Amino acid sequence: MTAEEIDAVFDFAETRYGQAVESLDPADGMPRNSHADGTWHQVKIEDWASGFFPGCLWLIYEQNQEEAWKAQAAKWTAPLEPLKNFDRHHDVGFMVGCSYGNGYRLTGNPAYKAIVLETADTLATRFQPTAQVIQSWGNIHSENIKTFRVIIDNMMNLELLLWASENGGEDRLREIALAHADTTMKNHFRPDGSTYHKLTYDFASGDVLKKETHQGFADDSMWARGQTWAIYGYTMMYRETGELRYLAQAEKAAAIYLKRLPADGVPRWDFDAPDDKPYKDASAAAVASSALIELSQLTGNKKYLKAAEKSLSELSTERYLAKSDQYQCLLLHSVGNLNKNSEVDVHINYADYYFLEALSRLKKVKQVE
């Protein structure tokens, strides 16, 4: 893709998200996915995906530098402030990092920084020292915890801890992030570099009791988005720490993903999904593309950049872009949780977010080539 083609997608994003902010009210919740008629379905701020819509607004503002978009991004970010004390699940890295984190990165607003730092402290309360991992789901305040679960998605929330430890937070936040990444590296991966989705740990001993899936096709299958969380997470860990073990894990996870990736660059929702469930997952392609661009920059290996460009070019066609005026989003054809018949072959906000992030990263590469 050329820089001009990337700009054209961002122009399209302005059109679609411009329609959205004109017709929606933050008081009704955060836009997450599309109704059948193309309009946004809004959810409570406690939803794990609540930060992606304001995150998209910040990414659009980063490109156009227009005050009106900055104001809209701030308007949609503000309702998420209570999440700085939200400890009911692990996804505050997505929720606050993509909203307030981008806001601080682009504006330097000290109030945003304070919220991100407090959120990191809250996330750290979910760390289970016996198993050396951050508990993904479940009430950490229960007096009767016997087991708890950890999902591969959790790798994406470690960036919040690492950033905080370098920007005024305590050193223990970094220590927690490294412990979780190391334990996940030991327990969550198969020998070929593919990842399990969900592990169950024994609370008292820290032992792994089960390795299974929640959103994938089967316990031993390769759920596409989960694999991309792993690629992205360990690429980020290498960027932030310089530790070669994380680079090796990122490349191993990327190798099996690229080996099995279809020619068009967009995977099925699960690489082992049967032919009667052939749904593509644009969100997985977007996450992978963003990660692979960064992995290419960190290693100098152009194969990662080439693969990302292939995927982004496909996502930028009318096969995936929401060209019909009924939509107020960017990408169609993502899969949230097929096992629960939830968000199957629809638009989902995190597909848009990582698509825009990937395009932004690609544009920076193009500008220095």
Side-chain angles (χ1 to χ4, degrees), residues 320-354:
Y320 288 91
L321 283 183
K323 287 292 189 178
S324 171
D325 286 338
Q326 75 187 89
Y327 291 105
Q328 299 177 348
C329 60
L330 290 181
L331 289 179
L332 305 177
H333 308 307
S334 289
V335 175
N337 189 341
L338 189 142
N339 295 331
K340 292 188 175 181
N341 196 31
S342 173
E343 298 178 318
V344 179
D345 195 27
V346 297
H347 159 256
I348 309 176
N349 60 9
Y350 47 84
D352 286 2
Y353 178 84
Y354 288 104

Side-chain angles (χ1 to χ4, degrees), residues 255-330:
I256 187 68
Y257 174 85
L258 293 176
K259 179 181 179 180
R260 301 192 62 187
L261 191 65
D264 65 0
V266 181
R268 287 188 182 186
W269 64 283
D270 189 298
F271 282 89
D272 299 294
D275 289 340
D276 63 344
K277 298 178 179 178
Y279 306 104
K280 292 280 196 173
D281 187 4
S283 74
V287 175
S289 296
S290 189
L292 290 170
I293 292 167
E294 182 163 65
L295 190 56
S296 176
Q297 294 298 101
L298 292 170
T299 63
N301 193 328
K302 296 296 185 182
K303 73 177 181 182
Y304 299 129
L305 181 63
K306 182 179 179 180
E309 282 200 72
K310 174 75 173 180
S311 297
L312 293 173
S313 294
E314 176 65 14
L315 293 178
S316 299
T317 67
E318 292 191 359
R319 287 183 288 275
Y320 288 91
L321 283 183
K323 287 292 189 178
S324 171
D325 286 338
Q326 75 187 89
Y327 291 105
Q328 299 177 348
C329 60
L330 290 181

Side-chain angles (χ1 to χ4, degrees), residues 151-153 155 180-199 201 208 211 219 221-223 226-235 237 245-246 248-257:
I151 56 176
I152 192 63
D153 317 37
M155 287 300 303
H180 182 95
D182 289 341
T183 303
T184 299
M185 192 160 56
K186 181 176 77 171
N187 295 334
H188 243 95
F189 287 88
R190 306 181 185 97
D192 65 359
S194 63
T195 178
Y196 292 98
H197 183 202
K198 180 179 69 175
L199 266 60
Y201 284 87
V208 176
K211 296 184 178 184
D219 290 345
S221 68
M222 192 165 88
W223 176 49
Q227 193 67 21
T228 67
W229 292 145
I231 299 167
Y232 193 115
Y234 282 97
T235 299
M237 288 298 300
R245 65 184 183 276
Y246 299 140
Q249 194 65 44
E251 293 204 277
K252 189 171 184 179
I256 187 68
Y257 174 85

Side-chain angles (χ1 to χ4, degrees), residues 197-219:
H197 183 202
K198 180 179 69 175
L199 266 60
T200 300
Y201 284 87
D202 181 89
F203 177 77
S205 69
D207 294 338
V208 176
L209 301 178
K210 292 181 182 179
K211 296 184 178 184
E212 53 193 333
T213 195
H214 178 69
Q215 288 164 263
F217 171 65
D219 290 345

Side-chain angles (χ1 to χ4, degrees), residues 10-184:
F10 271 99
D11 288 343
F12 180 67
E14 285 189 40
T15 299
R16 287 289 178 258
Y17 274 75
Q19 294 168 335
V21 296
E22 286 298 317
S23 62
L24 302 175
D25 188 336
D28 297 325
M30 291 293 120
R32 171 171 169 145
N33 50 42
S34 288
H35 292 295
D37 64 359
T39 59
W40 283 92
H41 169 231
Q42 291 171 262
V43 295
K44 295 179 179 179
I45 65 168
E46 294 82 7
D47 184 271
W48 79 272
S50 62
F52 292 117
F53 185 86
C56 287
L57 301 180
W58 284 117
L59 292 177
I60 292 171
Y61 165 67
E62 182 178 17
Q63 293 298 312
N64 64 29
Q65 292 294 297
E66 294 179 7
E67 288 297 313
W69 282 94
K70 178 182 177 182
Q72 284 290 351
K75 173 183 175 181
W76 283 89
T77 295
L80 300 181
E81 181 174 356
L83 295 175
K84 65 188 181 184
N85 302 126
F86 181 73
D87 64 359
R88 294 297 172 171
H89 59 68
H90 68 121
D91 280 317
V92 289
F94 289 124
M95 300 152 80
V96 173
C98 295
S99 55
Y100 280 99
N102 275 313
Y104 179 68
R105 179 175 65 85
L106 296 172
T107 70
N109 184 337
Y112 289 175
K113 179 180 180 180
I115 291 167
V116 177
L117 289 172
E118 189 168 351
T119 306
D121 287 338
T122 300
L123 176 58
T125 66
R126 299 191 65 81
F127 184 67
Q128 297 291 1
T130 303
Q132 291 286 291
V133 283
I134 297 169
Q135 180 177 336
S136 293
W137 301 327
N139 182 2
I140 59 171
H141 304 292
S142 172
E143 297 180 356
N144 299 306
I145 299 176
K146 291 183 172 57
T147 64
F148 64 90
R149 294 162 293 173
V150 176
I151 56 176
I152 192 63
D153 317 37
N154 212 339
M155 287 300 303
M156 300 292 287
N157 296 291
L158 302 185
E159 187 169 8
L160 179 72
L161 300 178
L162 293 169
W163 182 91
S165 71
E166 294 292 328
N167 290 275
E170 297 179 4
D171 290 342
R172 68 183 179 90
L173 300 176
R174 175 186 171 87
E175 294 167 2
I176 289 172
L178 268 64
H180 182 95
D182 289 341
T183 303
T184 299

